[in-house]
Every structure is written in C-alpha cells, then in structure tokens.
Amino acid sequence: EKWASTQRQSYKKYSRGDSPSDMIENRVKLLKKVGFEWRSHQSWARSYEELVSFVIEFGHARVPQKFPPNPALGLWVSNQRQRYKKCLKG
C-alpha cells in the first residue's frame, strides 16, 4: 500500500507539472498498461468499519501491522497510530 501511495503522489506531482521527468512519464505508461488504480478506493470510514468488525471478533483494536486476513487493515491501523503520535508531538 505504501508503494502504491507513493506512485499516486508522484503521479499527482507529474500531473501538476511539478515533476517533469521521462522516468515518471514511463512509469505512468507502464502502470496504466497494467490497470493501476490511480485513486485509492479504501476510504477512512470503510477502514474504520473494518476495525469495528475486528474489535467485535477479537475483543481489542490491536491489529497487527501484518494481518494476513486483511493486510490493508493492518497498515491502516499502523498509519492511524503514526498520525496520532505526530499529533501528540504537535
């Protein structure tokens, strides 16, 4: 997910003209060729609902970062924890 997010960010910069690069243009062509999703379809609310389901099933919200049944949920929870820590630091 982090790799895909990085590709999306690079594409946004490229689209705005912030990253004029043949390398970026080539990546865009290759990613389009394989049907890469340029917009993330996983909304915050949907991930939250998946976390609620996890809590109902397991009785806690300590989703491991590498959670085989739902890897995206593990990464999402990890990202929420990181963002929370940044908020505490100011």
Side-chain angles (χ1 to χ4, degrees):
E1 180 68 26
K2 185 171 181 157
W3 179 85
S5 178
T6 300
Q7 302 312 303
R8 290 182 185 107
Q9 289 174 3
S10 294
Y11 180 70
K12 283 180 189 177
K13 289 179 182 178
Y14 171 75
S15 297
R16 290 189 307 247
D18 294 345
S19 296
S21 167
D22 292 337
M23 180 63 171
I24 296 293
E25 189 172 328
N26 188 43
R27 284 185 196 171
V28 169
K29 287 178 185 177
L30 290 171
L31 290 169
K32 283 182 178 180
K33 187 176 179 179
V34 296
F36 182 78
E37 295 288 334
W38 293 105
R39 294 183 181 196
S40 178
H41 298 287
Q42 185 82 351
S43 71
W44 190 93
R46 181 174 170 195
S47 295
Y48 175 78
E49 290 301 322
E50 290 177 0
L51 177 60
V52 169
S53 296
F54 179 93
V55 170
I56 291 168
E57 183 175 348
F58 295 101
H60 62 80
R62 296 180 306 273
V63 182
Q65 189 171 1
K66 293 182 180 180
F67 182 58
N70 189 343
L73 178 62
L75 289 172
W76 182 82
V77 169
S78 176
N79 286 334
Q80 299 311 302
R81 289 180 183 134
Q82 289 174 5
R83 289 178 182 158
Y84 176 71
K85 288 176 187 176
K86 283 182 182 179
C87 284
L88 290 178
K89 289 180 182 179

